[in-house]
Amino acid sequence: MTDTFSNLVDTFKNVGVARAYGDPVQLGGQEVIPVALVTFGFGGGAEGEADGGASGGGGGGMVLPLGVYRNDGGTVTFRPNTVVTLVCLVPLISVLGAAVRRAIRAAKS
């Protein structure tokens, strides 16, 4: 178990800003730097290993491409990924719509 944990630590010790910002790419005469939201988590546990109990672990992650930074002749601008922005706004708009509907019903009563 200790070897597995140390291997996991070695694998993810360089996680940070380098995972959220990609390597610059030349595209159409402009330098483009991809930006993403990167999140992951791990867990594990054991129950009574001395008595022959069970142990286990797991993990998961998610990457959302947020957009790109464009460097066009010294002017840097951020271009958001509109598809991901819209997908992330759907739950917010749904909750806001439900709240407005309830407020209207309460005002009518």
Side-chain angles (χ1 to χ4, degrees), residues 3-90:
D3 291 334
T4 304
F5 182 72
S6 63
N7 288 339
L8 189 63
V9 169
D10 288 339
T11 301
F12 290 99
K13 68 181 173 182
N14 292 326
V15 171
V17 175
R19 298 284 183 233
Y21 295 95
D23 294 329
V25 178
Q26 292 294 327
L27 185 63
Q30 298 177 349
E31 184 177 43
V32 177
I33 302 171
V35 181
L37 172 66
V38 181
T39 181
F40 58 91
F42 298 96
E47 184 178 328
E49 286 187 42
D51 300 330
S55 64
M62 177 182 71
V63 177
L64 286 175
L66 297 178
V68 296
Y69 279 106
R70 291 185 349 183
N71 185 358
D72 187 17
T75 304
V76 178
T77 56
F78 180 74
R79 298 286 309 257
N81 182 342
T82 54
V83 173
V84 171
T85 303
L86 290 173
V87 167
C88 290
L89 286 177
V90 166

Side-chain angles (χ1 to χ4, degrees), residues 85-103:
T85 303
L86 290 173
V87 167
C88 290
L89 286 177
V90 166
L92 178 66
I93 293 170
S94 298
V95 169
L96 183 62
V100 168
R101 185 177 57 212
R102 287 183 182 174

